[in-house]
Amino acid sequence: MNECLFQNTEPQRMQLTCKELPNGIRIVHQEIPHTRLVHCGFILNIGSRDEDQEQEGLAHFWEHMAFKGTQKRKTFHILNRLESLGGELNAYTTKEKVCFYASVLKDHYGKAAELLYDITFHSTFPEKQIERERQVILEEMAMYRDSPDDAIQDELDALVFDQHALGRNILGTEQTVGNFHHQDFIDFISSRLDTSQLVFSIVGNISFEKALRQIEGPLREIPTKRTLYTRSGFQTYQPKQKTSKREISQSLCAIGRPAYSLHDPNRYKLFLLNNILGGPSMNSRLNLSLRENYGYVYSVESSYQPFSDTGFFGIYFGTEEKTLKKSLAIVHRELEKLRSKKLGSLQLHTAKVQAIGQMAMAEENYASLMLVYAKSLLDHGKIDPLDSIFEQIRCTTATELQDIAQEIFQVDQLTQLIYTPA
């Protein structure tokens, strides 16, 4: 048994433990004695970027179809299995991950683990259910098209990453979604599934021995699978400018560019810098300037998302058409401030305290923590103690943040997408 590189010294929390099975599947567990719940899930290192162009939307479709029938269950039995016990069964797809997970009272962990195993490895993809779910996904796509806030983010991805798979819509297109059949799912999973790139994660009020007893046997029966597939890297960024008219009442603006990958030592520094610029707190620079000082926006945010080989930095806001140019000028001004002037010692200290506090609060969401552990194992092969991440943030200097701002916040390297009222 391999123990993860993690020790939590809090007395109410047990040690984080990992075990790797002979087929490469890893199990990670942490006991939380003071909760009534257990959160668990399978996270696979497969996402929308792993689709070929004609497969666009297939990973997301697979996520839907996992609930539509297995070798021993029909849809109703899958949906009713945990919901009738007060639990929750869910799934999601990102550009690099597919996840099937559940939250239940601790007494029902065995049922949750068995059900997740069943839908992850024994889905049958019946054609009748594919036809029904195809319509659901087409409705989901229409809903997103009718939501300009979502549409502009997807279109910005397409502009930044151009023809690369990272720029494709996770939902796919009407044409690709309309062409999927049973064998397409079988072939995609067969060509992409690698048992060494799959983690089952458990966080909650259950011992490691009991958690393992419920799931280890079935997981050991899964044959070792290695794939020859490798992800295509992104290296051809060119900034773009685009404006289009939409049936909307205010102008929307999205600005972005590639950024640091999951393996870049600057990723936590950029996280801190982004938090200062336009993170979730109301005291972010963009919120204070655009909303509090001028009243030009209801909301504004910046975001940083790292991927395995690159990353994405973006800014989003909506404003009246008459204040669009002024709002853009303010955004550029805030970017230039971070590029040209180092943070003062008090500003830097306050930013670090805030970022660390936000991360500490996020740790109290045990369902999210369960997913974080699995993703960390998949992306880094280990789980860094939160204290070590805090230390990296504490050690960040004002000069380092300015250097990153000068690299990432170059205005002539930003792609800009604007929707204006038709």
Side-chain angles (χ1 to χ4, degrees):
M1 181 173 67
N2 296 323
E3 292 185 356
C4 295
L5 302 180
F6 185 100
Q7 289 280 341
N8 195 315
T9 57
E10 295 180 45
Q12 73 271 29
R13 206 175 280 184
M14 300 290 285
Q15 179 178 326
L16 182 67
T17 309
C18 297
K19 181 170 184 177
E20 182 173 332
L21 303 181
N23 54 16
I25 295 175
R26 286 166 288 179
I27 301 169
V28 59
H29 165 271
Q30 187 172 57
E31 184 174 0
I32 311 289
H34 59 269
T35 179
R36 298 176 187 270
L37 302 177
V38 174
H39 311 278
C40 55
F42 285 100
I43 295 84
L44 298 85
N45 206 14
I46 305 171
S48 63
R49 72 170 298 178
D50 301 310
E51 302 159 347
D52 295 331
Q53 193 163 5
E54 68 275 10
Q55 297 173 324
E56 187 175 348
L58 190 55
H60 172 258
F61 208 141
W62 168 25
E63 171 212 318
H64 278 237
M65 289 303 301
F67 298 86
K68 302 305 174 183
T70 68
Q71 293 172 6
K72 66 177 183 180
R73 286 184 173 94
K74 293 185 178 180
T75 303
F76 172 78
H77 301 106
I78 293 172
L79 299 179
N80 192 55
R81 178 66 166 166
L82 301 184
E83 300 287 340
S84 64
L85 301 172
E88 294 181 355
L89 176 66
N90 215 328
Y92 67 80
T93 307
T94 69
K95 292 182 186 291
E96 296 194 327
K97 303 286 187 292
V98 170
C99 176
F100 306 103
Y101 63 104
S103 298
V104 292
L105 288 170
K106 63 179 182 178
D107 294 340
H108 304 311
Y109 161 76
K111 294 178 180 179
E114 188 276 331
L115 179 63
L116 289 167
Y117 167 80
D118 194 30
I119 67 174
T120 303
F121 298 102
H122 297 293
S123 291
T124 53
F125 308 107
E127 284 289 351
K128 286 186 178 180
Q129 291 289 354
I130 291 173
E131 289 303 319
R132 291 174 185 169
E133 204 60 25
R134 193 191 320 275
Q135 296 306 311
V136 172
I137 293 174
L138 291 174
E139 289 297 325
E140 185 179 1
M141 294 167 65
M143 180 184 70
Y144 272 86
R145 284 196 301 270
D146 288 342
S147 173
D149 289 342
D150 294 318
I152 197 169
Q153 295 187 39
D154 289 335
E155 189 173 353
L156 181 64
D157 284 351
L159 286 175
V160 169
F161 294 110
D162 199 21
Q163 299 301 311
H164 191 272
L166 284 170
R168 297 179 195 150
N169 193 312
I170 290 174
L171 299 181
T173 67
E174 290 183 359
Q175 180 178 356
T176 56
V177 169
N179 288 333
F180 295 146
H181 294 284
H182 170 86
Q183 195 61 40
D184 295 305
F185 297 94
I186 302 299
D187 293 344
F188 178 70
I189 295 171
S190 176
S191 65
R192 298 296 186 261
L193 180 64
D194 186 319
T195 49
S196 69
Q197 295 297 306
L198 191 162
V199 171
F200 185 66
S201 182
I202 314 115
V203 171
N205 193 346
I206 188 170
S207 69
F208 178 68
E209 291 73 21
K210 186 175 181 179
L212 199 62
R213 191 162 58 245
Q214 299 279 3
I215 195 65
E216 182 178 13
L219 290 184
R220 281 182 176 272
E221 295 176 2
I222 297 172
T224 301
K225 178 75 166 61
R226 298 291 182 268
T227 178
L228 298 176
Y229 167 78
T230 57
R231 285 173 172 160
S232 173
F234 175 74
Q235 300 173 333
T236 57
Y237 174 67
Q238 292 291 330
K240 301 177 181 67
Q241 306 282 319
K242 181 178 178 180
T243 299
S244 61
K245 292 189 177 296
R246 296 290 181 108
E247 295 296 330
I248 52 179
S249 59
Q250 65 170 184
S251 294
L252 301 178
C253 182
I255 301 169
R257 60 158 296 161
Y260 303 129
S261 78
L262 283 163
H263 307 289
D264 196 297
N266 284 326
R267 67 186 185 280
Y268 290 123
K269 298 181 181 71
L270 180 54
F271 163 78
L272 177 58
L273 185 64
N274 176 72
N275 211 49
I276 295 167
L277 174 68
S281 296
M282 291 189 292
N283 66 344
S284 73
R285 291 192 173 193
L286 288 178
N287 190 71
L288 288 176
S289 57
L290 281 171
R291 175 173 171 152
E292 301 302 329
N293 291 346
Y294 291 95
Y296 288 165
V297 305
Y298 174 73
S299 67
V300 57
E301 65 174 14
S302 64
S303 63
Y304 163 53
Q305 181 180 9
F307 301 120
S308 56
D309 58 339
T310 185
F312 176 81
F313 165 76
I315 299 171
Y316 306 93
F317 66 88
T319 188
E320 295 294 323
E321 189 170 12
K322 64 183 180 182
T323 55
L324 175 60
K325 289 184 178 180
K326 294 178 181 178
S327 297
L328 276 169
I330 291 171
V331 170
H332 290 165
R333 185 179 72 199
E334 294 299 336
L335 294 174
E336 180 57 29
K337 282 181 183 178
L338 289 169
R339 283 171 45 82
S340 61
K341 185 178 180 180
K342 286 194 295 187
L343 293 175
S345 57
L346 180 59
Q347 290 176 313
L348 181 60
H349 172 75
T350 301
K352 290 177 180 179
V353 169
Q354 179 173 318
I356 288 171
Q358 289 172 349
M359 296 178 78
M361 284 192 289
E363 189 191 24
E364 296 299 316
N365 183 332
Y366 298 134
S368 295
L369 191 64
M370 176 269 296
L371 298 172
V372 166
Y373 287 158
K375 288 186 282 189
S376 184
L377 274 181
L378 289 172
D379 293 331
H380 303 291
K382 63 177 183 176
I383 299 171
D384 287 327
L386 196 58
D387 284 343
S388 74
I389 297 172
F390 290 169
E391 189 60 26
Q392 291 184 59
I393 292 174
R394 291 190 186 102
C395 291
T396 300
T397 68
T399 299
E400 289 173 329
L401 289 183
Q402 186 180 25
D403 289 343
I404 290 172
Q406 289 174 349
E407 178 183 357
I408 301 297
F409 296 167
Q410 296 180 62
V411 174
D412 62 353
Q413 289 299 305
L414 296 174
T415 288
Q416 179 177 288
L417 173 62
I418 294 173
Y419 289 172
T420 60

